[in-house]
Amino acid sequence: MTAPTLVDFDDVVARFDPTLGLEVHVELSTNTKMFCGCPTEFGAEPNTQVCPTCLGLPGSLPVVNRTAVESAMRIGLALNCSIAPWGRFARKNYFYPDMPKNFQTSQYDEPIAVDGWLDVELDDGSTVRVGIERAHMEEDTGKSLHVGGATGRIHGAEYSLLDYNRAGVPLIEIVTKMIPGTGDRAPEVARAYVTQLRELVKSLGVSDVRMDQGSMRCDVNLSLSPKASGELGTRTETKNVNSLRSVERAVRYEMTRQAGVLDAGGEIVQETRHFEEQSGSTRAGRRKETSEDYRYFPEPDLVPIAPSPEWVEELRGTLPELPWERRRRIQAEWGVSDEEIRDLVNAGALDLVEATVAAGAPSGEARSWWVSYLSQQANTREQELTDLPITPEQVARVIALVGEGELTNKMGRQVVDGVLDGEGEPDQVVEKRGLKVVSDEGALITAVDEALASQPDVAEKIRGGKIQAAGAIVGAVMKATGGQADAKRVRELVVERCSAE
Amino acid sequence: MSTDLTRLTAAELAGKIHAKEISAVEAARAHLDRIAAVDGGENGVHAFLHVAGESAIASAELVDAGIAAGTGPASSLAGVPLALKDVFTTRDMPTTCGSKILEGWQPPYDATVTARLRAAGVTILGKTNMDEFAMGSSTEHSAYGVTRNPWDRSRVPGGSGGGSAASLAAFEAPLAIGTDTGGSIRQPAAFTGTVGVKPTYGGVSRYGLVACASSLDQAGPCARTVLDAALLHEVIGGHDPLDSTSIDAPVPSVVAAARRGAEGDLSGLKVGVVRELGGEGYEPGVRTAYDASLRRLEKLGADLVEVSCPHFEYAMAAYYLILPSEVSSNLARFDAMRYGMRSTVSSGGGVASAEEVMAATREAGFGPEVKRRIILGTYALSSGYYDAYYGQAQKIRTLISRDFEAAFTQADVLVSPTTPTVPFPIGDKIDDPLAMYLNDLATIPTNLAGTAGMSVPSGLSDGLPTGLQIMAPALGEALMYRVGAAFEAARDADDGGPLIARVPEVAP
Amino acid sequence: MSADSPADPTGGVISRDEVAHLARLSRLAVTDAELDVFAGQLDVILSSVARVGEVAAEDIPPTSHAVPLQNVFRADERRPGLDQEQALSGAPASEDGRFRVPRILGEEQ
Ligand SMILES: [Zn+2]
């Protein structure tokens, strides 16, 4: 096969209009699978999260997970879709060893959510409205491991090994309407859409949307039509686009590839292509001998789903603030710049800071603790910030102790260390580690007097009005109290004692 | 032992076991001995594919221990032996569905029906023969050989549940479980002079019932008397959260209804005679028995009204589109990857692919009737034909339900002959699928509508049994059992004993 | 009869080639002899079931389920399933806790 001729991107957009379409699969993080009571966690030993139903054993039957249905409806509502008042699951029939029943149970025909939109914000602040055709429920397949031949590749393998832990995990497929008119921004729009969709789904708490673990997967549909021709080109569907960056690259590559084919007088074949992460290119999948006919028919083992208007409204009431609106509100409340809020988001600290503020801390201190000291600790421990064993409430308590002068900043950090090391609540750490600012005035005055007496020349200078000389006395007092005194108060006392004499 | 325990009804056996007159183990042994005597051999009944002697005795021992300890029987049928159709999963016995493709498969889980039988202390004797994946009306489509009709061992016992029905008529078990997709409980009941009930769709859990056609399949009780069927119905029926199509309502009080029916009074009850069933296409002997049955119902005080169900004549056509469609999808899972048989394939010197192994295994593992229906269903669901075939069949299904609804405004229950013919000779229809399909002419409408139906023995035609079908609306089983029990009592009184007593002795 | 009526006025409803194609779709490696028999039998059966087309049913809603239930759900709670040994107990072949199957052609769906 000869390498495709790629046309320069600027040249492509000068002569062609791209039309985008995106299909995103989101794996729900429900406790159990779509149709059975097996766990959905990633990474378990093979075939240990299975039962007769998700293994497709003869006689087994599916029962729909209510939480999965509610998650699907909440995703639909967050995408401004209408919820279908009645719908059935269907069977999509095709043989494939990773699919235990050799049919996939899917709402393809009668999706639970239809006709919505998502406003996607681009880097320059402009907005593109992406139409949502539908969001529907289905089930994931098992995973295959190909042995022999090229490592892990299906081609040339001698045999395959199957693990059905993932089979039956609930999937929501979100399909956009065709997105025309994005021109040279098509790659950016595609990426921004997936980014924002990811954030939205995450904010609903229905999926961990980890593209690296496959809990969010994207297929990119793309076609080109000659400018002002008014006709829609033939589209290709690129699968395996499994990072945000890849989404952008896949769109860009298909645009340049398709333009090359068209320029050479060729025709675009409607086909499934696969994205190659390493080269950033796409390659054609195996051509099927016969066009696939999935012979959909209503799933007789499941009864229709008919969400009442009350149920829909109840779920609408559970929708959180949209993540980007929330960011805008927080930015205004805290008075921070675009850059600062972006840093917080990138550091994965926004939720933590907000929770810390909610627990009573000033936003400045909350941000500073999470972005600097706690981020450092996360780095050292090779943990995600969110996984650190300290709660926003505990951080807020440390901030309060420092603010009230009970602790110095340095002591505050020690308390945080104690909490991270499992020594208990901040107040317990203070107690156990004996971290208290010395605030007993009597003891302090004695210490100050002793320091003045041991450095009579310095004391003389202070009495003579040279207040800046007090530093040496303060230093001596701090040393004597093991650093536990409040330096500011010590300075006041030094000046007081000298003028009083 | 003075009485032959295998000749007792389930109710009688249970009474004796619970009264400690006999033990559950004795009951189990008597039936296991009977099976050993009549089931095997060249001309044996061959009702069983698997006999679970040890576990049957162990289960019976538990029942006896419970009774001895004074904890009482687990249910009204504790200790009573039963034959289970080999289409229900059982952890301790193979489950083959009469197919080579599942030869030796031992499921890692119990069907809900199996679990309920165990919980009720019923002694499961073994698994019974059936047409492969419940497709057939003669048990000739079993991969493990035909079951013989105890009334005439050169004839079929009906199907698909021929094994369950024959086990009753051969006194190998007083109770059996069947499944009815288009008549697979009722037609064999009629052919063997026994009682078979297809409950309302959703009345008995399908969890662990290996699917033939999911929207039509229904498990139900088989017995030699209406009361026994009712007792079993109450043990296996009722809501199951593992089956989404299971009805969340109490099981109809069929035992009380059967007892009331046995008092022999049906006055005030309207019995609808379905005009479209019982005339053309029904053997003269069957029609004679049917006419006598109608007169008997009248004598019991029932008002006979003629009802018309004009769309029933399309039921068979609709059924043979819907059923194969669902079959083609349900049986796709038998692909040699996870369980069951796997054929070895030579692939021109190279390594055979999964696709090739699937196709070779399915070819070798399925019998011709299964293959025919898979191909037919694949065709009916294809995009170009869906509307004309599957879609249209589903509309006819609606019309048939409406016919039932209209009929049930005129009558409390409906009746018809269960089958158009008496049991036919083995081999007679095996090469003519369409002729075989006609067996279920009268039983199919009930499956399409999801309503209830039963077959009770109505008489003999040239020494071969015939059945009366009684049909009731969804969840209307109580009335159906009442009519069935009244009919049975009157028939026994007229004949001077139960019909089943006239089955020729199967020489061991 | 409507335009998409399945009945072919020339006689046969289904050809031998069509049966062969359907068998491939159904993953049935049928023999030539079987094809001959099935094609004839299926033609007879299809001609018979094509009767469904005689009923005028444009306005009739199709019935997919025989029971008038809807919204049957289960709580999102775990139920004990099978352990690895049970899961693989019926497998024709297994390796490292996985089902071992012949090489798979083509791409994942
Ligand atoms: Zn499961």
Side-chain angles (χ1 to χ4, degrees), chain C residues 52-76:
Chain C
V52 295
E54 293 170 11
V55 181
E58 284 78 41
D59 307 329
I60 306 298
T63 296
S64 52
H65 296 76
V67 63
L69 290 172
Q70 56 187 30
N71 292 337
V72 174
F73 303 117
R74 109 193 123 71
D76 185 20

Short mmCIF file of all heavy atoms in Angstrom, two decimals, chain C residues 52-76:
data_model
loop_
_atom_site.label_atom_id
_atom_site.label_comp_id
_atom_site.label_asym_id
_atom_site.label_seq_id
_atom_site.Cartn_x
_atom_site.Cartn_y
_atom_site.Cartn_z
N VAL C 52 -48.78 -13.55 6.30
CA VAL C 52 -48.95 -12.42 7.21
C VAL C 52 -49.19 -11.14 6.42
O VAL C 52 -49.85 -10.22 6.90
CB VAL C 52 -47.74 -12.22 8.16
CG1 VAL C 52 -47.59 -13.39 9.12
CG2 VAL C 52 -46.45 -11.95 7.41
N GLY C 53 -48.68 -11.10 5.17
CA GLY C 53 -48.86 -9.92 4.33
C GLY C 53 -50.28 -9.70 3.88
O GLY C 53 -50.63 -8.61 3.42
N GLU C 54 -51.13 -10.72 4.05
CA GLU C 54 -52.53 -10.57 3.60
C GLU C 54 -53.34 -9.69 4.53
O GLU C 54 -54.41 -9.21 4.18
CB GLU C 54 -53.21 -11.95 3.55
CG GLU C 54 -52.65 -12.87 2.50
CD GLU C 54 -53.17 -14.30 2.67
OE1 GLU C 54 -54.12 -14.51 3.46
OE2 GLU C 54 -52.61 -15.19 2.01
N VAL C 55 -52.85 -9.52 5.76
CA VAL C 55 -53.64 -8.77 6.73
C VAL C 55 -53.31 -7.29 6.61
O VAL C 55 -52.15 -6.90 6.63
CB VAL C 55 -53.31 -9.25 8.17
CG1 VAL C 55 -54.14 -8.49 9.19
CG2 VAL C 55 -53.54 -10.75 8.28
N ALA C 56 -54.34 -6.48 6.44
CA ALA C 56 -54.13 -5.04 6.40
C ALA C 56 -53.92 -4.56 7.83
O ALA C 56 -54.82 -4.67 8.66
CB ALA C 56 -55.35 -4.35 5.79
N ALA C 57 -52.73 -4.11 8.13
CA ALA C 57 -52.43 -3.78 9.53
C ALA C 57 -51.64 -2.49 9.65
O ALA C 57 -50.91 -2.30 10.62
CB ALA C 57 -51.68 -4.95 10.16
N GLU C 58 -51.80 -1.59 8.69
CA GLU C 58 -51.00 -0.36 8.69
C GLU C 58 -51.07 0.38 10.03
O GLU C 58 -50.07 0.84 10.56
CB GLU C 58 -51.45 0.61 7.58
CG GLU C 58 -50.99 0.20 6.19
CD GLU C 58 -51.87 -0.92 5.62
OE1 GLU C 58 -53.10 -0.87 5.82
OE2 GLU C 58 -51.30 -1.85 5.00
N ASP C 59 -52.28 0.47 10.58
CA ASP C 59 -52.45 1.29 11.78
C ASP C 59 -52.32 0.50 13.07
O ASP C 59 -52.58 1.02 14.15
CB ASP C 59 -53.84 1.95 11.76
CG ASP C 59 -54.07 2.71 10.47
OD1 ASP C 59 -53.07 3.21 9.91
OD2 ASP C 59 -55.23 2.78 10.01
N ILE C 60 -51.96 -0.75 12.94
CA ILE C 60 -51.89 -1.60 14.14
C ILE C 60 -50.50 -1.48 14.76
O ILE C 60 -49.50 -1.68 14.09
CB ILE C 60 -52.16 -3.08 13.77
CG1 ILE C 60 -53.48 -3.21 13.00
CG2 ILE C 60 -52.13 -3.97 15.00
CD1 ILE C 60 -54.70 -2.79 13.78
N PRO C 61 -50.43 -1.16 16.05
CA PRO C 61 -49.11 -1.11 16.69
C PRO C 61 -48.54 -2.51 16.84
O PRO C 61 -49.28 -3.44 17.15
CB PRO C 61 -49.40 -0.48 18.06
CG PRO C 61 -50.84 -0.77 18.33
CD PRO C 61 -51.52 -0.84 16.99
N PRO C 62 -47.24 -2.67 16.60
CA PRO C 62 -46.65 -4.00 16.78
C PRO C 62 -46.52 -4.38 18.25
O PRO C 62 -46.37 -3.50 19.10
CB PRO C 62 -45.27 -3.86 16.14
CG PRO C 62 -44.97 -2.41 16.16
CD PRO C 62 -46.28 -1.67 16.17
N THR C 63 -46.62 -5.65 18.54
CA THR C 63 -46.40 -6.14 19.91
C THR C 63 -45.03 -6.79 19.98
O THR C 63 -44.78 -7.78 19.29
CB THR C 63 -47.47 -7.19 20.28
OG1 THR C 63 -48.74 -6.56 20.29
CG2 THR C 63 -47.21 -7.78 21.67
N SER C 64 -44.14 -6.22 20.79
CA SER C 64 -42.83 -6.86 20.96
C SER C 64 -42.76 -7.65 22.24
O SER C 64 -41.96 -8.56 22.38
CB SER C 64 -41.71 -5.81 20.94
OG SER C 64 -41.98 -4.78 21.88
N HIS C 65 -43.62 -7.31 23.20
CA HIS C 65 -43.61 -7.99 24.49
C HIS C 65 -45.02 -8.45 24.83
O HIS C 65 -45.97 -7.70 24.63
CB HIS C 65 -43.12 -7.05 25.59
CG HIS C 65 -41.70 -6.61 25.39
ND1 HIS C 65 -41.35 -5.66 24.46
CD2 HIS C 65 -40.55 -7.00 26.00
CE1 HIS C 65 -40.03 -5.49 24.51
NE2 HIS C 65 -39.53 -6.28 25.43
N ALA C 66 -45.12 -9.66 25.36
CA ALA C 66 -46.44 -10.21 25.64
C ALA C 66 -46.95 -9.80 27.01
O ALA C 66 -47.99 -10.25 27.45
CB ALA C 66 -46.40 -11.73 25.54
N VAL C 67 -46.20 -8.97 27.70
CA VAL C 67 -46.59 -8.63 29.05
C VAL C 67 -46.55 -7.10 29.18
O VAL C 67 -45.63 -6.45 28.72
CB VAL C 67 -45.65 -9.34 30.06
CG1 VAL C 67 -44.23 -8.88 29.93
CG2 VAL C 67 -46.14 -9.20 31.48
N PRO C 68 -47.61 -6.50 29.72
CA PRO C 68 -47.68 -5.04 29.72
C PRO C 68 -46.88 -4.40 30.85
O PRO C 68 -47.41 -3.67 31.67
CB PRO C 68 -49.18 -4.76 29.89
CG PRO C 68 -49.68 -5.94 30.67
CD PRO C 68 -48.81 -7.11 30.30
N LEU C 69 -45.60 -4.69 30.90
CA LEU C 69 -44.76 -4.13 31.97
C LEU C 69 -43.89 -3.03 31.40
O LEU C 69 -43.54 -3.04 30.22
CB LEU C 69 -43.85 -5.21 32.53
CG LEU C 69 -44.46 -6.33 33.36
CD1 LEU C 69 -43.41 -7.40 33.65
CD2 LEU C 69 -45.03 -5.79 34.66
N GLN C 70 -43.51 -2.08 32.23
CA GLN C 70 -42.45 -1.15 31.86
C GLN C 70 -41.72 -0.68 33.12
O GLN C 70 -42.18 -0.89 34.23
CB GLN C 70 -43.00 0.04 31.06
CG GLN C 70 -44.11 0.82 31.77
CD GLN C 70 -44.72 1.87 30.87
OE1 GLN C 70 -44.74 1.71 29.66
NE2 GLN C 70 -45.21 2.96 31.46
N ASN C 71 -40.58 -0.06 32.92
CA ASN C 71 -39.75 0.44 34.03
C ASN C 71 -39.46 -0.63 35.08
O ASN C 71 -39.73 -0.46 36.26
CB ASN C 71 -40.44 1.63 34.71
CG ASN C 71 -40.47 2.84 33.79
OD1 ASN C 71 -39.67 2.95 32.87
ND2 ASN C 71 -41.42 3.73 34.04
N VAL C 72 -38.92 -1.72 34.63
CA VAL C 72 -38.47 -2.75 35.58
C VAL C 72 -36.96 -2.57 35.76
O VAL C 72 -36.20 -2.71 34.80
CB VAL C 72 -38.79 -4.16 35.07
CG1 VAL C 72 -38.19 -5.22 35.99
CG2 VAL C 72 -40.30 -4.34 34.96
N PHE C 73 -36.56 -2.21 36.96
CA PHE C 73 -35.16 -1.91 37.22
C PHE C 73 -34.67 -2.70 38.41
O PHE C 73 -35.44 -3.23 39.20
CB PHE C 73 -34.97 -0.42 37.51
CG PHE C 73 -35.46 0.47 36.42
CD1 PHE C 73 -36.51 1.37 36.64
CD2 PHE C 73 -34.88 0.42 35.16
CE1 PHE C 73 -36.97 2.20 35.62
CE2 PHE C 73 -35.34 1.24 34.14
CZ PHE C 73 -36.38 2.14 34.37
N ARG C 74 -33.35 -2.69 38.54
CA ARG C 74 -32.74 -3.26 39.73
C ARG C 74 -31.91 -2.16 40.36
O ARG C 74 -31.41 -1.26 39.66
CB ARG C 74 -31.94 -4.49 39.31
CG ARG C 74 -30.49 -4.43 39.34
CD ARG C 74 -29.87 -5.60 38.59
NE ARG C 74 -29.01 -5.05 37.57
CZ ARG C 74 -27.86 -4.46 37.86
NH1 ARG C 74 -27.42 -4.38 39.09
NH2 ARG C 74 -27.14 -3.93 36.91
N ALA C 75 -31.76 -2.21 41.69
CA ALA C 75 -30.92 -1.22 42.36
C ALA C 75 -29.47 -1.48 41.98
O ALA C 75 -29.10 -2.61 41.66
CB ALA C 75 -31.11 -1.33 43.86
N ASP C 76 -28.67 -0.43 42.00
CA ASP C 76 -27.27 -0.54 41.60
C ASP C 76 -26.47 -1.18 42.73
O ASP C 76 -25.58 -0.57 43.32
CB ASP C 76 -26.74 0.86 41.26
CG ASP C 76 -25.32 0.84 40.72
OD1 ASP C 76 -24.89 -0.23 40.24
OD2 ASP C 76 -24.66 1.89 40.76
#
